[in-house]
Amino acid sequence: MAEAPGDIEQLIDLMARLPGLGPRSARRAVLLMLKKRGAVMAPLATVMAQVAISARDCARCGNITNSELCEICRDERRATGELCVVEDVADLWALERGGAFKGRYHVLGGTLSALDAVGPEELRIPRLVQRVAEEGVTEVILALNATVDGQTTAHYIADVLTASGVSLTSLAQGVPIGGELDYLDDGTIGAALRARKRF
C-alpha cells in the first residue's frame, strides 16, 4: 500500500491531534487541503503563522487577544461590576455567543486538581482576588463546569473571596430549554429540583 510522503504524513499526524479529528478525519482534511492548495491550504498556512506570532493572553482577564487587553476588557460599557469566572477561553466564547452577559470575565486557565498537581498558583486565582479588590467588582459569577474539579474550584474561590464582601453567585443547573425529562441523567434532574423557582 502506498504511503503519503513524509511531510504530508507529518501534517496528517499533527491534524489528528486536534479535538474531534482522528487519523481518518485528519487524512480526509489534508487531502481536501491538497486539492485546494490555493483556496484553502495557502491562506490557512498564512493565517496560522500570523496567529502563532500575534496571539497572546489578555493581561487582565486571560482571554485570547492580539493586544495587551482584549476587546471585552477595553470596552468601558462592560465595566458593570459583574465578573464572570470561567475555566477556559472556550467557556468565555460560549457565554459570549449567548449574548446575555454584559459584564467582564476572568479565565482561570483550568481547575484545581490534586491528581494533576494543579493548585491555586497554577491558575489565575491570585489575580482574581487582586481584580476583585482593585476593580470595584460587586458580583462574582462562578460559571465553572459541573464536574468534581469544577465544583471544588468554585468552593475554593468562594472561600478565598468570602472576606472581600463581594456577592458570589453561580449558574443555575437543571433542565435545558427544549429538554425532555426522560432523556436527562439523574444528577441533572436532582439539580433542577433543588433549583426550582416559583411559577
Side-chain angles (χ1 to χ4, degrees):
M1 185 169 125
E3 289 286 324
D7 53 350
I8 294 175
E9 199 59 48
Q10 185 180 8
L11 177 59
I12 292 168
D13 289 343
L14 288 169
M15 293 281 289
R17 295 181 194 174
L18 297 173
L21 287 181
R24 293 174 75 184
S25 298
R27 187 171 299 280
R28 283 194 298 271
V30 168
L31 286 172
L32 174 85
M33 288 190 292
L34 287 169
K35 277 185 189 175
K36 300 184 178 199
R37 282 181 211 144
V40 176
M41 187 174 245
L44 179 63
T46 301
V47 171
M48 287 180 76
Q50 290 170 352
V51 170
I53 293 167
S54 66
R56 65 183 73 172
D57 293 345
C58 173
R60 184 178 292 161
C61 75
N63 190 11
I64 296 173
T65 184
N66 56 10
S67 59
E68 177 80 10
L69 296 178
C70 71
E71 188 176 313
I72 294 170
C73 286
R74 289 193 312 262
D75 187 350
E76 286 303 318
R77 294 170 299 177
R78 309 272 316 227
T80 61
E82 296 174 327
L83 191 63
C84 185
V85 177
V86 294
E87 183 177 327
D88 58 35
V89 173
D91 299 327
L92 185 157
W93 289 357
L95 286 163
E96 279 297 288
R97 272 195 316 272
F101 182 65
K102 302 300 181 194
R104 290 186 173 158
Y105 294 92
H106 188 82
V107 180
L108 293 175
T111 54
L112 296 172
S113 173
L115 289 175
D116 298 322
V118 178
E121 297 301 322
E122 284 74 43
L123 304 176
R124 292 187 184 97
I125 293 175
R127 177 73 180 120
L128 171 63
V129 173
Q130 184 182 2
R131 286 186 71 189
V132 168
E134 294 174 355
E135 295 180 20
V137 174
T138 55
E139 180 184 5
V140 172
I141 303 164
L142 299 171
L144 302 176
N145 293 322
T147 61
V148 171
D149 287 345
Q151 295 310 297
T152 300
T153 305
H155 286 291
Y156 178 84
I157 291 170
D159 288 345
V160 169
L161 293 178
T162 299
S164 69
V166 70
S167 172
L168 288 164
T169 59
S170 65
L171 296 182
Q173 298 173 353
V175 180
I177 293 174
E180 296 181 31
L181 293 179
D182 190 36
Y183 293 101
L184 299 177
D185 63 274
D186 297 345
T188 300
I189 291 173
L193 279 170
R194 289 188 296 276
R196 66 189 182 274
K197 57 185 171 77
R198 189 173 296 279
F199 189 69

